Amino acid sequence: MRDLEAVRRHFQLEAATLLFPYQCTLLALEYAAAYPERVSALILPYPVFDPESSILPRSVNDLFGVAARLGWEVLASVIAVVQMGLEAHENAAWIARFYVESSNLEDLMRQNEMIVQHNAGAAAARVRCPTLLLHRRLPPYKIPASAEMIREHRTNITRLSATIPGAQSAIFEGSHAWFADDELMRARIVEFLEEVHGKEVAGAGDSTATIAGAFRTLLFTDLVGHTEMMSRLGDAKGRDVLREHERITREVLKANGGTEVKTMGDGFMASFGSVTKAVECAIALQRAFAEREGEPLSVRVGLNAGEPIEEDGDLFGATVILASRIAAKAEGGEILVADTVRGLCSGKGFLFVDRGEFVAKGIEEPVRVYEVSWRAH
């Protein structure tokens, strides 16, 4: 606690957002509870253990006993491999060096003992700043573990999520390490910071819509029955209805922070820096068309999130193709989203219905999509 306060004073920070992983979440909670005016937000990455996984030994000190015989560097390497997996050997080597250079075995044993004995529940209940909990479902490991230990760990995480007032939570798949290169987790952190500070975070707002590799949420719309309507109404009246469709779409996009990439006559392609804003925009679009009087306008909407390629103000790549295919899969009045979008919207209050998998043209793997139950919002 004193070290953290010394760092804050050294950099003359009035308040800061703290990102503290794993056991260090206890320190972040205690500090935020003791000095609420010095913490603007908390980001706490913590894994969610699968009930069938075997992650930790029955006694953590068993590993320390082995390390006492083989050396701290050996134990650090073992821990790093368990966390990152054998396939991520370069990251594991970096983490092992970090452990060895920043601590020693005796300090680690004292730290582990303190963490096991410490209960941060009271501090968590006093936290008043915005908090984001980032969890991972971990793949099974072949290291013997105590089922009681894993159940206790899961219970502690659930209790932590429920104890911190107003805490948001998101679950991700993949590597044990919170700092792994994860586009979805990074995007969720940026979105959280934008919510906290009420402004775009550098490198993630709409100003990056034309930057290659920027993480974006793409929204496609398509007006159902456009050709039949034009034939039935005639060119002049049909064009008037199309202009109304374009006006409504552009107004809703603007109101929800969307950037129009292009229009295809009877549909739009738009880009968002926030996945939440994109889904909210899709819902607002469907409501606007449903409430409109006159010639009915039935629109299908599809969303996907990823890193499209930018060229001359347009967006390309697999992310764009899949968003378009998902929109084409929807019926009039429906909103379909990729599993990526649904995952990033975890805990945001949206209602999703699993629509199963389909094979999208140009995409190798089957794609699972979800329908947004927008009428229930």
Side-chain angles (χ1 to χ4, degrees), residues 78-342:
V78 170
I79 294 174
V81 169
V82 169
Q83 289 182 338
M84 296 302 298
L86 288 172
E87 68 281 359
H89 54 87
E90 292 184 0
N91 286 340
W94 184 93
I95 294 167
R97 288 197 302 272
F98 169 78
Y99 289 155
V100 171
E101 294 174 4
S102 63
S103 62
N104 58 50
L105 183 58
E106 292 181 358
D107 287 341
L108 195 65
M109 292 181 69
R110 284 197 298 269
Q111 170 188 297
N112 180 70
E113 184 177 359
M114 293 175 64
I115 289 171
V116 169
Q117 295 175 354
H118 186 76
N119 186 339
R126 298 199 309 273
V127 171
R128 292 297 178 265
C129 64
T131 302
L132 174 63
L133 299 164
L134 300 172
H135 308 313
R136 280 198 182 281
R137 291 191 185 94
L138 301 184
Y141 288 88
K142 301 304 181 182
I143 299 175
S146 163
E148 291 79 10
M149 179 183 293
I150 292 176
R151 281 197 296 271
E152 181 180 356
H153 184 87
R154 291 174 62 86
T155 301
N156 288 340
I157 291 176
T158 303
R159 186 184 302 119
L160 187 66
S161 302
T163 302
I164 303 174
Q168 301 180 32
S169 183
I171 298 179
F172 300 87
E173 307 290 341
S175 168
H176 180 86
W178 66 267
F179 40 76
D181 185 17
D182 189 310
E183 297 171 359
L184 299 182
M185 183 176 287
R186 194 164 58 242
R188 183 65 186 90
I189 291 174
V190 168
E191 183 179 19
F192 172 72
L193 292 175
E194 289 179 340
E195 292 175 358
V196 170
H197 298 291
K199 60 183 180 180
E200 292 180 354
V201 175
D206 286 333
S207 60
T208 66
T210 59
I211 296 178
F215 192 91
R216 313 295 296 167
T217 301
L218 298 179
L219 179 150
F220 273 80
T221 72
D222 179 49
L223 181 60
V224 178
H226 163 251
T227 302
E228 184 276 332
M229 182 191 71
M230 294 296 293
S231 176
R232 176 168 47 84
L233 298 180
D235 291 344
K237 190 172 182 180
R239 183 56 197 150
D240 288 341
V241 175
L242 278 181
R243 276 194 287 267
E244 179 72 359
H245 158 256
E246 294 167 359
R247 180 190 65 79
I248 292 174
T249 302
R250 289 190 170 110
E251 287 181 356
V252 174
L253 285 175
K254 184 177 180 181
N256 289 274
T259 299
E260 178 183 338
V261 179
K262 60 184 176 183
T263 180
M264 292 79 74
D266 57 349
F268 281 79
M269 172 183 173
S271 174
F272 294 78
S274 163
V275 67
T276 303
K277 288 290 187 182
V279 177
E280 289 175 346
C281 181
I283 293 173
L285 278 171
Q286 293 294 16
R287 285 179 175 163
F289 288 122
E291 296 168 0
R292 175 185 174 276
E293 298 180 356
E295 180 70 24
L297 292 175
S298 181
V299 174
R300 54 171 67 99
V301 181
L303 295 96
N304 186 32
E307 295 187 345
I309 301 169
E310 187 274 337
E311 184 177 316
D312 297 330
D314 202 352
L315 299 177
F316 303 90
T319 301
V320 178
I321 294 172
L322 182 53
S324 176
R325 300 285 188 265
I326 291 174
K329 186 73 174 175
E331 300 291 337
E334 285 187 345
I335 303 169
L336 293 186
V337 305
D339 188 35
T340 304
V341 173
R342 182 197 62 87

